[in-house]
PDB file of all heavy atoms in Angstrom:
ATOM      1  N   GLN A 253      35.276  21.685  13.742  1.00 94.00           N
ATOM      2  CA  GLN A 253      35.500  20.991  14.926  1.00 94.00           C
ATOM      3  C   GLN A 253      34.855  19.550  14.992  1.00 94.00           C
ATOM      4  O   GLN A 253      33.793  19.388  14.497  1.00 94.00           O
ATOM      5  CB  GLN A 253      34.969  21.760  16.181  1.00 94.00           C
ATOM      6  CG  GLN A 253      35.537  23.179  16.330  1.00 94.00           C
ATOM      7  CD  GLN A 253      34.559  24.156  15.758  1.00 94.00           C
ATOM      8  OE1 GLN A 253      33.809  23.901  14.884  1.00 94.00           O
ATOM      9  NE2 GLN A 253      34.591  25.327  16.386  1.00 94.00           N
ATOM     10  N   GLN A 254      35.523  18.706  15.702  1.00 94.00           N
ATOM     11  CA  GLN A 254      35.070  17.344  16.057  1.00 94.00           C
ATOM     12  C   GLN A 254      34.559  16.599  14.766  1.00 94.00           C
ATOM     13  O   GLN A 254      33.392  16.177  14.747  1.00 94.00           O
ATOM     14  CB  GLN A 254      33.961  17.416  17.111  1.00 94.00           C
ATOM     15  CG  GLN A 254      34.586  17.808  18.437  1.00 94.00           C
ATOM     16  CD  GLN A 254      33.604  18.486  19.392  1.00 94.00           C
ATOM     17  OE1 GLN A 254      33.141  19.563  19.069  1.00 94.00           O
ATOM     18  NE2 GLN A 254      33.258  17.751  20.476  1.00 94.00           N
ATOM     19  N   ARG A 283      28.921  14.608   9.939  1.00 97.00           N
ATOM     20  CA  ARG A 283      29.703  14.388  11.152  1.00 97.00           C
ATOM     21  C   ARG A 283      30.210  12.886  10.966  1.00 97.00           C
ATOM     22  O   ARG A 283      29.447  11.933  10.852  1.00 97.00           O
ATOM     23  CB  ARG A 283      28.810  14.477  12.334  1.00 97.00           C
ATOM     24  CG  ARG A 283      29.497  14.129  13.722  1.00 97.00           C
ATOM     25  CD  ARG A 283      30.211  15.320  14.216  1.00 97.00           C
ATOM     26  NE  ARG A 283      29.375  16.375  14.699  1.00 97.00           N
ATOM     27  CZ  ARG A 283      29.741  17.515  15.279  1.00 97.00           C
ATOM     28  NH1 ARG A 283      31.047  17.745  15.390  1.00 97.00           N
ATOM     29  NH2 ARG A 283      28.943  18.435  15.614  1.00 97.00           N
ATOM     30  N   ARG A 286      35.429   8.870  11.759  1.00 97.00           N
ATOM     31  CA  ARG A 286      36.734   8.907  11.219  1.00 97.00           C
ATOM     32  C   ARG A 286      36.715   9.621   9.915  1.00 97.00           C
ATOM     33  O   ARG A 286      35.764   9.409   9.165  1.00 97.00           O
ATOM     34  CB  ARG A 286      37.323   7.523  11.077  1.00 97.00           C
ATOM     35  CG  ARG A 286      37.784   6.904  12.478  1.00 97.00           C
ATOM     36  CD  ARG A 286      38.962   7.584  13.122  1.00 97.00           C
ATOM     37  NE  ARG A 286      39.422   6.969  14.291  1.00 97.00           N
ATOM     38  CZ  ARG A 286      38.869   7.028  15.454  1.00 97.00           C
ATOM     39  NH1 ARG A 286      37.777   7.730  15.624  1.00 97.00           N
ATOM     40  NH2 ARG A 286      39.387   6.470  16.506  1.00 97.00           N
ATOM     41  N   THR A 449      44.996  16.453  15.122  1.00 94.00           N
ATOM     42  CA  THR A 449      44.252  16.872  16.393  1.00 94.00           C
ATOM     43  C   THR A 449      42.845  16.321  16.324  1.00 94.00           C
ATOM     44  O   THR A 449      42.125  16.493  17.268  1.00 94.00           O
ATOM     45  CB  THR A 449      44.263  18.433  16.504  1.00 94.00           C
ATOM     46  OG1 THR A 449      43.583  18.917  15.397  1.00 94.00           O
ATOM     47  CG2 THR A 449      45.639  18.959  16.569  1.00 94.00           C
ATOM     48  N   GLU A 706      21.221  40.771  37.276  1.00 96.00           N
ATOM     49  CA  GLU A 706      21.983  40.940  38.469  1.00 96.00           C
ATOM     50  C   GLU A 706      22.696  42.337  38.442  1.00 96.00           C
ATOM     51  O   GLU A 706      23.124  42.786  39.461  1.00 96.00           O
ATOM     52  CB  GLU A 706      23.102  39.818  38.456  1.00 96.00           C
ATOM     53  CG  GLU A 706      22.619  38.452  38.963  1.00 96.00           C
ATOM     54  CD  GLU A 706      22.213  38.344  40.398  1.00 96.00           C
ATOM     55  OE1 GLU A 706      22.032  39.403  41.101  1.00 96.00           O
ATOM     56  OE2 GLU A 706      22.143  37.212  40.900  1.00 96.00           O
ATOM     57  N   ALA A 738      14.835  30.818  30.496  1.00 97.00           N
ATOM     58  CA  ALA A 738      16.263  30.271  30.723  1.00 97.00           C
ATOM     59  C   ALA A 738      16.788  30.764  32.031  1.00 97.00           C
ATOM     60  O   ALA A 738      17.450  30.023  32.747  1.00 97.00           O
ATOM     61  CB  ALA A 738      17.093  30.758  29.451  1.00 97.00           C
ATOM     62  N   ASP A 742      17.913  28.610  35.134  1.00 97.00           N
ATOM     63  CA  ASP A 742      19.350  28.737  35.624  1.00 97.00           C
ATOM     64  C   ASP A 742      19.361  28.855  37.149  1.00 97.00           C
ATOM     65  O   ASP A 742      20.010  28.073  37.865  1.00 97.00           O
ATOM     66  CB  ASP A 742      19.973  29.965  34.956  1.00 97.00           C
ATOM     67  CG  ASP A 742      21.451  30.072  35.201  1.00 97.00           C
ATOM     68  OD1 ASP A 742      21.978  29.264  35.966  1.00 97.00           O
ATOM     69  OD2 ASP A 742      22.042  31.005  34.658  1.00 97.00           O
ATOM     70  N   GLN A 745      18.001  25.625  38.910  1.00 97.00           N
ATOM     71  CA  GLN A 745      18.805  24.447  38.829  1.00 97.00           C
ATOM     72  C   GLN A 745      20.166  24.701  39.567  1.00 97.00           C
ATOM     73  O   GLN A 745      20.630  23.743  40.176  1.00 97.00           O
ATOM     74  CB  GLN A 745      19.118  24.089  37.436  1.00 97.00           C
ATOM     75  CG  GLN A 745      17.930  23.546  36.677  1.00 97.00           C
ATOM     76  CD  GLN A 745      18.259  23.222  35.201  1.00 97.00           C
ATOM     77  OE1 GLN A 745      19.385  22.909  34.889  1.00 97.00           O
ATOM     78  NE2 GLN A 745      17.316  23.422  34.347  1.00 97.00           N
ATOM     79  N   ASP A 888      16.980  39.809  49.663  1.00 94.00           N
ATOM     80  CA  ASP A 888      17.681  39.628  48.380  1.00 94.00           C
ATOM     81  C   ASP A 888      16.698  39.354  47.266  1.00 94.00           C
ATOM     82  O   ASP A 888      15.652  38.730  47.514  1.00 94.00           O
ATOM     83  CB  ASP A 888      18.651  38.343  48.529  1.00 94.00           C
ATOM     84  CG  ASP A 888      19.559  38.243  47.389  1.00 94.00           C
ATOM     85  OD1 ASP A 888      19.790  39.154  46.626  1.00 94.00           O
ATOM     86  OD2 ASP A 888      20.159  37.148  47.187  1.00 94.00           O
ATOM     87  N   ARG A 892      19.303  43.181  43.316  1.00 96.00           N
ATOM     88  CA  ARG A 892      19.128  44.036  44.463  1.00 96.00           C
ATOM     89  C   ARG A 892      20.448  44.687  44.843  1.00 96.00           C
ATOM     90  O   ARG A 892      20.545  45.973  45.080  1.00 96.00           O
ATOM     91  CB  ARG A 892      18.563  43.274  45.689  1.00 96.00           C
ATOM     92  CG  ARG A 892      18.165  44.218  46.825  1.00 96.00           C
ATOM     93  CD  ARG A 892      17.613  43.399  47.936  1.00 96.00           C
ATOM     94  NE  ARG A 892      16.804  44.219  48.976  1.00 96.00           N
ATOM     95  CZ  ARG A 892      17.300  44.821  49.927  1.00 96.00           C
ATOM     96  NH1 ARG A 892      18.587  44.855  50.169  1.00 96.00           N
ATOM     97  NH2 ARG A 892      16.453  45.450  50.740  1.00 96.00           N
ATOM     98  N   ARG A 893      21.484  43.898  44.959  1.00 96.00           N
ATOM     99  CA  ARG A 893      22.767  44.468  45.375  1.00 96.00           C
ATOM    100  C   ARG A 893      23.319  45.590  44.461  1.00 96.00           C
ATOM    101  O   ARG A 893      23.880  46.522  44.897  1.00 96.00           O
ATOM    102  CB  ARG A 893      23.816  43.298  45.529  1.00 96.00           C
ATOM    103  CG  ARG A 893      25.208  43.738  45.876  1.00 96.00           C
ATOM    104  CD  ARG A 893      25.301  44.447  47.174  1.00 96.00           C
ATOM    105  NE  ARG A 893      26.667  44.986  47.463  1.00 96.00           N
ATOM    106  CZ  ARG A 893      27.081  46.180  47.021  1.00 96.00           C
ATOM    107  NH1 ARG A 893      26.326  46.871  46.342  1.00 96.00           N
ATOM    108  NH2 ARG A 893      28.284  46.565  47.343  1.00 96.00           N
ATOM    109  N   SER A 894      23.031  45.361  43.193  1.00 96.00           N
ATOM    110  CA  SER A 894      23.567  46.318  42.185  1.00 96.00           C
ATOM    111  C   SER A 894      22.900  47.710  42.371  1.00 96.00           C
ATOM    112  O   SER A 894      23.514  48.692  42.007  1.00 96.00           O
ATOM    113  CB  SER A 894      23.338  45.803  40.812  1.00 96.00           C
ATOM    114  OG  SER A 894      24.337  44.741  40.483  1.00 96.00           O
TER     115      SER A 894
ATOM    116  N   MET C  19      30.675  23.149  14.057  1.00 91.00           N
ATOM    117  CA  MET C  19      29.648  22.870  15.046  1.00 91.00           C
ATOM    118  C   MET C  19      30.203  21.939  16.077  1.00 91.00           C
ATOM    119  O   MET C  19      30.658  20.805  15.832  1.00 91.00           O
ATOM    120  CB  MET C  19      28.486  22.314  14.373  1.00 91.00           C
ATOM    121  CG  MET C  19      27.450  21.830  15.377  1.00 91.00           C
ATOM    122  SD  MET C  19      25.719  22.151  15.006  1.00 91.00           S
ATOM    123  CE  MET C  19      25.565  22.433  13.277  1.00 91.00           C
ATOM    124  N   LEU C  21      30.249  19.288  19.145  1.00 94.00           N
ATOM    125  CA  LEU C  21      29.538  18.169  19.592  1.00 94.00           C
ATOM    126  C   LEU C  21      29.607  18.109  21.113  1.00 94.00           C
ATOM    127  O   LEU C  21      30.724  18.060  21.626  1.00 94.00           O
ATOM    128  CB  LEU C  21      30.012  16.968  18.903  1.00 94.00           C
ATOM    129  CG  LEU C  21      29.288  15.671  19.051  1.00 94.00           C
ATOM    130  CD1 LEU C  21      27.965  15.809  18.271  1.00 94.00           C
ATOM    131  CD2 LEU C  21      30.078  14.507  18.394  1.00 94.00           C
ATOM    132  N   ARG C  46      27.694  33.001  43.584  1.00 93.00           N
ATOM    133  CA  ARG C  46      26.903  34.198  43.964  1.00 93.00           C
ATOM    134  C   ARG C  46      27.037  34.360  45.452  1.00 93.00           C
ATOM    135  O   ARG C  46      26.781  33.428  46.243  1.00 93.00           O
ATOM    136  CB  ARG C  46      25.471  33.984  43.530  1.00 93.00           C
ATOM    137  CG  ARG C  46      24.622  35.254  43.708  1.00 93.00           C
ATOM    138  CD  ARG C  46      23.235  35.028  43.083  1.00 93.00           C
ATOM    139  NE  ARG C  46      22.488  36.226  42.973  1.00 93.00           N
ATOM    140  CZ  ARG C  46      21.711  36.716  43.980  1.00 93.00           C
ATOM    141  NH1 ARG C  46      21.535  36.067  45.141  1.00 93.00           N
ATOM    142  NH2 ARG C  46      21.064  37.824  43.814  1.00 93.00           N
ATOM    143  N   PRO C  50      24.302  38.906  49.300  1.00 94.00           N
ATOM    144  CA  PRO C  50      24.921  40.033  48.441  1.00 94.00           C
ATOM    145  C   PRO C  50      25.019  41.355  49.138  1.00 94.00           C
ATOM    146  O   PRO C  50      25.897  42.183  48.916  1.00 94.00           O
ATOM    147  CB  PRO C  50      23.959  40.119  47.253  1.00 94.00           C
ATOM    148  CG  PRO C  50      23.294  38.731  47.225  1.00 94.00           C
ATOM    149  CD  PRO C  50      23.166  38.328  48.665  1.00 94.00           C
ATOM    150  N   GLU C  51      24.070  41.580  50.071  1.00 93.00           N
ATOM    151  CA  GLU C  51      24.067  42.909  50.746  1.00 93.00           C
ATOM    152  C   GLU C  51      25.388  43.170  51.550  1.00 93.00           C
ATOM    153  O   GLU C  51      25.700  44.336  51.774  1.00 93.00           O
ATOM    154  CB  GLU C  51      22.809  43.075  51.665  1.00 93.00           C
ATOM    155  CG  GLU C  51      21.507  43.148  50.832  1.00 93.00           C
ATOM    156  CD  GLU C  51      21.538  44.264  49.699  1.00 93.00           C
ATOM    157  OE1 GLU C  51      21.778  45.373  50.130  1.00 93.00           O
ATOM    158  OE2 GLU C  51      21.292  43.875  48.543  1.00 93.00           O
ATOM    159  N   ALA C  53      28.237  42.056  50.631  1.00 95.00           N
ATOM    160  CA  ALA C  53      29.410  42.086  49.791  1.00 95.00           C
ATOM    161  C   ALA C  53      29.800  43.556  49.484  1.00 95.00           C
ATOM    162  O   ALA C  53      28.975  44.432  49.283  1.00 95.00           O
ATOM    163  CB  ALA C  53      29.081  41.407  48.432  1.00 95.00           C
ATOM    164  N   ASP C  55      31.489  46.713  47.226  1.00 95.00           N
ATOM    165  CA  ASP C  55      31.322  46.988  45.787  1.00 95.00           C
ATOM    166  C   ASP C  55      32.289  46.232  44.956  1.00 95.00           C
ATOM    167  O   ASP C  55      31.990  45.777  43.909  1.00 95.00           O
ATOM    168  CB  ASP C  55      31.459  48.506  45.570  1.00 95.00           C
ATOM    169  CG  ASP C  55      30.246  49.288  46.013  1.00 95.00           C
ATOM    170  OD1 ASP C  55      29.129  48.668  46.217  1.00 95.00           O
ATOM    171  OD2 ASP C  55      30.337  50.555  46.124  1.00 95.00           O
ATOM    172  N   TRP C  58      31.316  42.569  44.779  1.00 96.00           N
ATOM    173  CA  TRP C  58      30.154  42.459  43.845  1.00 96.00           C
ATOM    174  C   TRP C  58      30.524  42.602  42.444  1.00 96.00           C
ATOM    175  O   TRP C  58      30.084  41.958  41.534  1.00 96.00           O
ATOM    176  CB  TRP C  58      29.068  43.430  44.302  1.00 96.00           C
ATOM    177  CG  TRP C  58      27.689  43.199  43.550  1.00 96.00           C
ATOM    178  CD1 TRP C  58      27.189  44.066  42.659  1.00 96.00           C
ATOM    179  CD2 TRP C  58      26.831  42.038  43.652  1.00 96.00           C
ATOM    180  NE1 TRP C  58      26.037  43.518  42.152  1.00 96.00           N
ATOM    181  CE2 TRP C  58      25.772  42.294  42.775  1.00 96.00           C
ATOM    182  CE3 TRP C  58      26.922  40.878  44.349  1.00 96.00           C
ATOM    183  CZ2 TRP C  58      24.762  41.415  42.622  1.00 96.00           C
ATOM    184  CZ3 TRP C  58      25.910  40.002  44.207  1.00 96.00           C
ATOM    185  CH2 TRP C  58      24.822  40.208  43.308  1.00 96.00           C
ATOM    186  N   ARG C  75      29.798  26.825  31.637  1.00 98.00           N
ATOM    187  CA  ARG C  75      28.397  26.210  31.808  1.00 98.00           C
ATOM    188  C   ARG C  75      27.713  26.226  30.435  1.00 98.00           C
ATOM    189  O   ARG C  75      27.912  27.122  29.598  1.00 98.00           O
ATOM    190  CB  ARG C  75      27.575  27.076  32.753  1.00 98.00           C
ATOM    191  CG  ARG C  75      28.263  27.181  34.153  1.00 98.00           C
ATOM    192  CD  ARG C  75      27.361  27.966  35.133  1.00 98.00           C
ATOM    193  NE  ARG C  75      26.600  28.992  34.582  1.00 98.00           N
ATOM    194  CZ  ARG C  75      25.247  29.170  34.821  1.00 98.00           C
ATOM    195  NH1 ARG C  75      24.600  28.371  35.551  1.00 98.00           N
ATOM    196  NH2 ARG C  75      24.628  30.159  34.235  1.00 98.00           N
ATOM    197  N   GLY C  83      16.864  20.620  28.801  1.00 97.00           N
ATOM    198  CA  GLY C  83      16.641  21.823  29.593  1.00 97.00           C
ATOM    199  C   GLY C  83      17.515  21.967  30.773  1.00 97.00           C
ATOM    200  O   GLY C  83      17.220  22.754  31.628  1.00 97.00           O
ATOM    201  N   TYR C  85      21.067  22.833  32.910  1.00 98.00           N
ATOM    202  CA  TYR C  85      22.281  23.458  32.873  1.00 98.00           C
ATOM    203  C   TYR C  85      23.378  22.483  33.452  1.00 98.00           C
ATOM    204  O   TYR C  85      23.081  21.667  34.338  1.00 98.00           O
ATOM    205  CB  TYR C  85      22.289  24.615  33.896  1.00 98.00           C
ATOM    206  CG  TYR C  85      21.626  25.835  33.290  1.00 98.00           C
ATOM    207  CD1 TYR C  85      20.242  25.983  33.288  1.00 98.00           C
ATOM    208  CD2 TYR C  85      22.320  26.919  32.685  1.00 98.00           C
ATOM    209  CE1 TYR C  85      19.590  27.073  32.744  1.00 98.00           C
ATOM    210  CE2 TYR C  85      21.696  28.013  32.143  1.00 98.00           C
ATOM    211  CZ  TYR C  85      20.312  28.100  32.180  1.00 98.00           C
ATOM    212  OH  TYR C  85      19.655  29.172  31.660  1.00 98.00           O
ATOM    213  N   GLU C  95      39.275  24.296  21.293  1.00 93.00           N
ATOM    214  CA  GLU C  95      37.757  24.143  21.474  1.00 93.00           C
ATOM    215  C   GLU C  95      37.360  22.733  21.818  1.00 93.00           C
ATOM    216  O   GLU C  95      36.143  22.410  21.732  1.00 93.00           O
ATOM    217  CB  GLU C  95      37.082  24.652  20.197  1.00 93.00           C
ATOM    218  CG  GLU C  95      37.327  26.133  19.954  1.00 93.00           C
ATOM    219  CD  GLU C  95      36.629  26.820  18.753  1.00 93.00           C
ATOM    220  OE1 GLU C  95      36.323  25.964  17.855  1.00 93.00           O
ATOM    221  OE2 GLU C  95      36.423  27.926  18.731  1.00 93.00           O
ATOM    222  N   LYS C  96      38.249  21.893  22.199  1.00 93.00           N
ATOM    223  CA  LYS C  96      37.905  20.474  22.557  1.00 93.00           C
ATOM    224  C   LYS C  96      37.266  20.436  23.960  1.00 93.00           C
ATOM    225  O   LYS C  96      37.800  21.000  24.889  1.00 93.00           O
ATOM    226  CB  LYS C  96      39.086  19.632  22.449  1.00 93.00           C
ATOM    227  CG  LYS C  96      39.433  19.287  20.985  1.00 93.00           C
ATOM    228  CD  LYS C  96      40.475  18.208  21.053  1.00 93.00           C
ATOM    229  CE  LYS C  96      40.924  17.958  19.618  1.00 93.00           C
ATOM    230  NZ  LYS C  96      41.927  16.892  19.482  1.00 93.00           N
ATOM    231  N   GLU C 123      44.140   8.970  17.771  1.00 56.00           N
ATOM    232  CA  GLU C 123      45.137   7.937  17.564  1.00 56.00           C
ATOM    233  C   GLU C 123      45.977   8.293  16.387  1.00 56.00           C
ATOM    234  O   GLU C 123      45.575   8.835  15.479  1.00 56.00           O
ATOM    235  CB  GLU C 123      44.435   6.600  17.293  1.00 56.00           C
ATOM    236  CG  GLU C 123      43.567   6.072  18.404  1.00 56.00           C
ATOM    237  CD  GLU C 123      42.074   6.632  18.246  1.00 56.00           C
ATOM    238  OE1 GLU C 123      41.425   6.193  17.306  1.00 56.00           O
ATOM    239  OE2 GLU C 123      41.698   7.468  19.052  1.00 56.00           O
TER     240      GLU C 123
END
Side-chain angles (χ1 to χ4, degrees):
Chain A
Q253 302 100 328
Q254 288 155 294
R283 180 84 67 179
R286 285 290 185 284
T449 62
E706 285 288 18
D742 189 354
Q745 292 178 29
D888 187 17
R892 187 182 200 272
R893 174 61 185 84
S894 285
Chain C
M19 171 137 22
L21 190 64
R46 190 174 189 270
E51 291 306 306
D55 283 346
W58 188 247
R75 305 187 320 132
Y85 282 81
E95 295 183 336
K96 283 189 183 179
E123 299 88 70

